[in-house]
């Protein structure tokens, strides 16, 4: 339905145009810049749909659709009757907002039509806009790209806006909002200003150092600023990809011997029947993955085959895939039957999976592990028959749900360690592009320290500054910008 509506709008924009006799303002010159329009609210039937325009013909389009009324006051909602400029037929009674540039989202003249959200109304307004000279349907992300081009948003803020639109969890929303508010961009601009000042001092020393017209200790001050910047860059690059995990989701793998309750836990955490649960060992023979929201964090939850030996070829392949997923996991949920801790399969799992991962330094390891003892409801005394060297564990009953709240709280703490806390601390690096430019800046600063020639040192500072500038969008190539703006829908 909505694809057909957009096709009609495109045809209207490209087809013959017949205007009504009343025209409130001059028809804009077609070479003065194109004006775009699109449905900006979500597709589908709704109470209110928002259609927006941006460009020099926005005011003209508003005037011609609301004739014979004058343009409404800027940035104030006004009720207007919208009419088809070709036939004069009423389309809808809508709220309209007029945003003269540069005080608008894109920096251009903009209009928003808040119309009733039925398909016929939206279709009629889109076709009417397509019939106005100088207007054409917007491409994906074109409104935001114009905001970037007019300096309303830098590139990190654009990425934050895209992440906010796609955010599915509370943690993703908080992180995206911080980036949209410009925290990462402000940090990088501050670093770039430091390098600009350092570069100016080095070049001044090259030009005037021999004349003794400079203050003493200029180069020592530059060295001190570069060392401080190196420390800051290393701190951000050492965040173990937390921001990228927060944006795309942490990988949590549930593993353990057969019949430990892995599939039951996956169903419990995902709140839907993802995996088949059966008392027969080896029911799960492949990796089953489902995206879930755990304590506000995005997680890709994987159910895996029970780890055991001496099985058929199909289940053996499932075990191989389970072990492969374990190597990729950010967080391992290791499950054991609380009533079967002394069995060979449980002992082997503790020795081969739990002990090696648990022995690693959590602050330096890329993997974390939680040991969960399931079937606590079957324990006669309410606690397992402990073996002497059992690592720290959580008791759980997937059948009754007892212990689930404690597990969720521990998962929240582990996911904060894996993904970072979006509410506090320095801004996170959410994309590989950020990592690339900060690493490039750090490498250039290393070349500065190694340079014996001041001209080469100045060039190293210039390269380092260039990486920070490109991170926020200065000097970016069209190919990179195209990739970033593809994340947006039409109308944003």
């Amino acid at each position: 339905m909505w694809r057909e509506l957009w096709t009609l709008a495109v045809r209207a924009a490209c087809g013959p145009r017949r205007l009504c006799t009343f025209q409130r303002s001059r028809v804009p010159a077609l070479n003065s810049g194109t004006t775009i329009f699109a449905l900006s609210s979500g597709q589908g039937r709704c109470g209110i749909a928002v259609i927006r325009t941006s460009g020099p013909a926005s005011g003209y389009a508003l005037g011609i659709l609301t004739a014979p009324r004058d343009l409404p006051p800027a940035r104030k909602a006004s009720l207007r009757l919208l009419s088809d400029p070709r036939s004069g037929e009423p389309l809808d009674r809508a709220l309209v907002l007029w945003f003269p540039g540069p005080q608008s989202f894109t920096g251009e003249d903009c209009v928003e039509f808040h119309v009733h959200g039925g398909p016929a109304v939206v279709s009629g307004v889109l076709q009417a806009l397509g019939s106005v000279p100088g207007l054409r349907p917007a491409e994906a992300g074109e409104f935001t790209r114009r905001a970037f081009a007019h300096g309303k948003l830098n590139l990190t803020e654009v990425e934050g806006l895209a992440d906010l639109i796609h955010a599915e969890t509370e943690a993703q929303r908080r992180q995206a909002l911080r980036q949209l508010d410009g925290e990462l961009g402000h940090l990088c601009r501050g670093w770039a200003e430091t390098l600009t000042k350092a570069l100016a001092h080095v070049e001044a020393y090259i030009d005037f150092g021999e004349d003794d017209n400079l203050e003493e200790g200029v180069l020592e001050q530059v060295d001190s600023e570069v060392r401080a910047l190196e420390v800051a860059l290393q701190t951000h690059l050492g965040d173990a990809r937390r921001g990228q995990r927060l944006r795309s989701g942490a990988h949590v793998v549930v593993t353990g011997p057969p019949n430990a309750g892995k599939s039951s836990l996956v169903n419990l955490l995902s709140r839907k029947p993802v995996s088949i649960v059966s008392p027969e060992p080896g029911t799960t023979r492949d990796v089953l993955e489902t995206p879930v929201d755990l304590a506000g964090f995005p997680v890709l939850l994987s159910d895996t085959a029970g780890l055991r030996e001496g099985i058929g070829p199909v289940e053996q392949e499932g075990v191989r895939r389970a072990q492969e997923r374990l190597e990729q996991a950010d967080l391992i949920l290791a499950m054991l039957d609380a009533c079967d801790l002394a069995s060979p399969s449980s002992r082997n799992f503790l020795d081969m999976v739990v002990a090696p991962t648990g022995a690693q330094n959590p602050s330096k390891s890329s993997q974390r592990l939680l040991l969960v003892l399931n079937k606590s409801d079957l324990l006669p005394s309410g606690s397992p028959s402990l073996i002497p060297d059992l690592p720290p564990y959580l008791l759980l009953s997937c059948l009754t749900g007892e212990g689930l709240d404690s597990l969720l709280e521990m998962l929240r703490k582990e996911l904060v360690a894996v993904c970072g806390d979006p509410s506090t601390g320095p801004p996170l690096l959410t994309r590989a592009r950020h990592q690339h430019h900060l690493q490039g800046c750090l490498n250039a600063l290393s070349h500065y320290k190694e340079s014996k020639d001041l001209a080469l040192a100045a060039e190293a500072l210039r390269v380092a500054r260039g990486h920070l500038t490109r991170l926020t969008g200065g000097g970016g190539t069209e190919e990179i910008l195209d990739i970033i703006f593809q994340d947006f829908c039409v109308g944003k």
Side-chain angles (χ1 to χ4, degrees):
M1 169 66 76
W2 293 100
R3 187 185 299 274
E4 294 172 358
L5 295 184
W6 193 245
T7 302
L8 290 174
V10 173
R11 289 176 178 172
C14 299
R17 302 183 178 96
R18 180 166 59 86
L19 303 178
C20 66
T21 56
F22 183 86
Q23 296 183 0
R24 292 294 304 168
S25 58
R26 180 180 61 85
V27 178
L30 294 181
N31 61 358
S32 63
T34 59
T35 299
I36 56 176
F37 67 93
L39 174 67
S40 292
S41 54
Q43 296 182 352
R45 284 182 175 85
C46 54
I48 299 295
V50 179
I51 298 171
R52 71 199 314 196
T53 72
S54 179
S58 290
Y60 171 72
L62 175 59
I64 202 171
L65 262 68
T66 59
R69 302 289 298 274
D70 293 328
L71 291 179
R75 288 171 289 281
K76 290 186 178 180
S78 303
L79 184 65
R80 292 287 190 272
L81 177 67
L82 304 183
S83 301
D84 191 320
R86 298 163 295 187
S87 64
E89 179 184 3
L91 298 172
D92 190 22
R93 192 171 295 277
L95 283 178
V96 298
L97 290 106
W98 163 236
F99 299 96
Q103 284 79 36
S104 68
F105 172 71
T106 63
E108 303 174 325
D109 290 349
C110 292
V111 172
E112 288 186 3
F113 299 91
H114 294 228
V115 302
H116 294 96
V121 174
V122 174
S123 172
V125 176
L126 288 175
Q127 290 188 65
L129 288 172
S131 70
V132 177
L135 269 68
R136 65 167 175 81
E139 299 176 359
E142 192 168 1
F143 285 91
T144 305
R145 188 156 190 165
R146 291 189 176 202
F148 170 73
H150 288 93
K152 292 293 183 176
L153 299 170
N154 65 42
L155 203 51
T156 57
E157 291 168 347
V158 167
E159 292 168 331
L161 178 57
D163 291 344
L164 186 61
I165 293 172
H166 294 291
E168 297 180 349
T169 71
E170 188 69 12
Q172 287 177 317
R173 179 192 63 79
R174 290 174 180 170
Q175 165 58 27
L177 198 56
R178 287 185 66 184
Q179 189 161 325
L180 175 59
D181 287 342
E183 289 193 22
L184 181 59
H186 293 157
L187 181 66
C188 292
R189 280 197 295 273
W191 289 340
E193 289 172 4
T194 297
L195 289 178
T196 300
K197 182 179 177 181
L199 178 60
H201 286 171
V202 171
E203 292 186 336
Y205 192 89
I206 293 174
D207 293 338
F208 307 110
E210 295 182 357
D211 298 333
D212 296 328
N213 291 326
L214 296 178
E215 298 178 3
E216 294 184 1
V218 168
L219 294 183
E220 288 77 5
Q221 181 183 351
V222 170
D223 290 342
S224 176
E225 292 173 346
V226 167
R227 284 194 298 270
L229 181 53
E230 276 188 310
V231 172
L233 291 172
Q234 288 168 350
T235 300
H236 279 75
L237 288 169
D239 73 347
R241 296 179 51 251
R242 288 186 179 91
Q244 293 182 57
R245 290 195 193 96
L246 179 59
R247 178 172 174 263
S248 59
H251 195 173
V252 177
V253 175
V254 182
T255 185
N259 270 14
K262 300 181 297 298
S263 297
S264 297
L265 179 59
V266 169
N267 292 344
L268 195 62
L269 293 177
S270 59
R271 297 182 291 278
K272 60 184 178 181
V274 175
S275 304
I276 297 174
V277 177
S278 167
E280 178 183 346
T283 302
T284 303
R285 298 190 175 189
D286 204 347
V287 177
L288 300 177
E289 297 181 331
T290 182
V292 297
D293 179 346
L294 284 183
F297 288 87
V299 165
L300 182 63
L301 188 62
S302 297
D303 186 13
T304 59
L307 302 180
R308 63 174 177 174
E309 299 179 355
I311 50 181
V314 175
E315 192 174 348
Q316 188 174 12
E317 173 62 19
V319 170
R320 186 195 67 79
R321 295 186 182 188
Q323 293 170 337
E324 187 178 73
R325 282 297 190 278
L326 278 178
E327 297 175 357
Q328 303 168 358
D330 299 312
L331 173 61
I332 298 172
L333 284 180
M335 289 202 72
L336 285 173
D337 186 339
C339 303
D340 192 36
L341 295 178
S343 67
S345 60
S346 295
R347 294 295 302 171
N348 184 62
F349 179 75
L350 285 169
D351 293 339
M352 301 302 295
V353 176
V354 176
T357 306
Q360 299 177 14
N361 186 342
S363 62
K364 297 181 179 179
S365 173
S366 60
Q367 285 189 328
R368 305 178 73 88
L369 182 141
L370 282 179
L371 178 60
V372 180
L373 304 186
N374 187 31
K375 306 183 184 180
S376 63
D377 55 296
L378 299 180
L379 294 173
S381 61
S383 61
S385 300
L386 299 180
I387 52 180
D389 55 347
L390 191 66
Y393 61 88
L394 292 169
L395 274 178
L396 174 69
S397 171
C398 289
L399 180 63
T400 66
E402 184 179 0
L404 180 60
D405 290 341
S406 298
L407 175 60
L408 289 175
E409 176 59 23
M410 187 58 69
L411 279 171
R412 186 193 65 80
K413 294 179 180 178
E414 292 293 329
L415 288 171
V416 167
V418 168
C419 300
D421 188 346
S423 302
T424 60
L428 299 171
L429 307 179
T430 57
R431 299 177 185 244
R433 189 181 72 84
H434 304 164
Q435 296 268 351
H436 167 76
H437 284 303
L438 291 192
Q439 187 62 56
C441 179
L442 187 61
N443 293 342
L445 294 183
S446 297
H447 293 155
Y448 163 83
K449 292 168 59 179
E450 297 169 358
S451 298
K452 305 300 182 182
D453 184 275
L454 284 180
L456 295 178
E459 179 60 25
L461 291 177
R462 194 174 291 109
V463 170
R465 182 180 177 277
H467 277 289
L468 295 177
T469 302
R470 286 192 291 275
L471 196 152
T472 56
T477 64
E478 286 296 316
E479 291 79 5
I480 294 175
L481 295 179
D482 288 341
I483 292 172
I484 291 172
F485 286 100
Q486 283 173 2
D487 281 346
F488 290 90
C489 58
V490 174
K492 194 63 179 177

